[in-house]
Amino acid sequence: QAELGVNEHHQKEVVSYMRFARFKRGMCLKTVDSCFQDLKDSRLVEETFTVDEVIDMLDGLQSVVHSEVESELINTTYTNVLLLRQLFSQAEKWYLKLQTDVSDLENRELLDQVAEFEKSEYTSSNKKSTADPIKPKLAPLNEGGSELLNKTVAHLQEENEKLKTRLRTIETQATAALDEKSKLEKSLRDLQMIQGDQKNNANQDITELENKVAALKSQFEKTLNDTTANQKFLEEDLVTTKHDLLKVQDQLSTAEKELEKKFQQTAAYRNMKEILTKKNEQIKDLRRRLSK
């Protein structure tokens, strides 16, 4: 492993990027220097300046430098994003998911290590008399990693085939379910038609039954009225009969009294009464004797 903790190939890629960043940094510094030089050449042509003039020149210089630095910082950010995009694109071709730790970007120890690495690399590069050979492009992975990824891809392809088979099974089941649904819908429509016919027949039967009930009700009301009238007549006849019975009973009682009165006035009644009186006297006399 090299000084940055990566293999030699990746370290060469880091060196290449640092040279690119150094070049961009130098261009930015030259731009800032030119801003100051332009101010000197265009504004500092007199020996004395007022406070307002100095403030105006400094404000203008600040605006220009601020714009240049901001533009360079934004461009650096976009450049870093493009670099990450290259790395992620190569990783995604092998179904890898890379992760970044943003907190390490402000690690002072690591930053000092990178600065020392840049310083040593820049010093050693100045001593070289020949140009660096052309760097190969960043390889996705070494051979061991490639074998592992091939196995992973094969496993994923196998899983994909299983999912396809399962999908076909589900599609078959869905088709069967749709056919069954169509059959059930047809059966439901037929049943609704049958129920509609039965409902019509039931309505006819109900109408006929209602007519019969109405006729029976009318007949019952008529019979009830006739029965009520007949009952009223019978009640009146019963009252009349009771009155007649009372009259007959009264007449019979009167006739019995008259008959008894007439019977008591006859000779046979008087003789019988005398005989009964004598018999009673004899019975009383016998009782007195027996009691002694």
Side-chain angles (χ1 to χ4, degrees), residues 22-39:
R22 177 187 289 273
F23 171 76
K24 297 294 292 183
R25 185 168 65 246
M27 294 296 295
C28 180
L29 293 176
K30 288 181 180 180
T31 302
V32 173
D33 292 339
S34 66
C35 292
F36 283 89
Q37 188 62 41
D38 290 342
L39 177 64

Side-chain angles (χ1 to χ4, degrees), residues 7 9-10 87 90-98 137-153:
N7 59 32
H9 173 77
H10 289 162
L87 296 176
Q90 293 184 52
E92 288 174 1
K93 291 180 180 179
W94 293 94
Y95 306 98
L96 295 178
K97 293 183 179 180
L98 303 182
K137 292 186 177 180
L138 179 63
L141 286 172
N142 54 25
E143 294 181 357
S146 177
E147 182 180 358
L148 177 61
L149 285 177
N150 287 332
K151 292 181 179 179
T152 303
V153 171

Side-chain angles (χ1 to χ4, degrees), residues 240-250:
T240 303
T241 304
K242 285 183 178 180
H243 290 167
D244 294 340
L245 179 60
L246 290 174
K247 289 180 180 180
V248 171
Q249 288 178 350
D250 184 60

Side-chain angles (χ1 to χ4, degrees), residues 106-197:
E106 296 183 354
N107 189 323
R108 176 49 54 186
E109 182 179 354
L110 294 178
L111 291 174
D112 292 340
Q113 183 179 352
V114 173
E116 185 65 26
F117 174 77
E118 181 185 20
K119 182 179 179 181
S120 62
E121 184 66 26
Y122 180 71
T123 303
S124 61
S125 63
N126 288 335
K127 295 180 180 180
K128 292 181 181 179
S129 58
T130 58
D132 293 336
I134 299 176
K135 305 294 189 300
K137 292 186 177 180
L138 179 63
L141 286 172
N142 54 25
E143 294 181 357
S146 177
E147 182 180 358
L148 177 61
L149 285 177
N150 287 332
K151 292 181 179 179
T152 303
V153 171
H155 176 69
L156 292 176
Q157 289 177 347
E158 183 180 355
E159 291 293 330
N160 189 28
E161 291 298 327
K162 291 181 180 179
L163 290 175
K164 288 181 179 179
T165 303
R166 183 180 178 185
L167 178 61
R168 286 192 293 269
T169 303
I170 293 174
E171 288 177 349
T172 303
Q173 294 176 353
T175 303
L178 290 175
D179 294 339
E180 185 67 20
K181 180 182 177 183
S182 300
K183 293 179 181 179
L184 291 175
E185 288 178 348
K186 185 177 182 301
S187 300
L188 179 61
R189 288 194 296 269
D190 295 339
L191 180 61
Q192 289 176 346
M193 292 178 62
I194 295 173
Q195 288 179 346
D197 296 338

Side-chain angles (χ1 to χ4, degrees), residues 2 31 46 65 94 96 118 120 131 147 204 209 215 217 222 228 234 242 251 260 265 279 283 286:
T31 302
E46 299 179 4
V65 173
W94 293 94
L96 295 178
E118 181 185 20
S120 62
E147 182 180 358
Q204 293 178 358
L209 183 60
K217 183 178 180 181
K222 182 179 179 181
T228 303
L234 291 175
K242 285 183 178 180
Q251 292 176 358
E260 184 179 359
Q265 292 176 357
K279 291 292 182 181
I283 291 170
L286 289 173

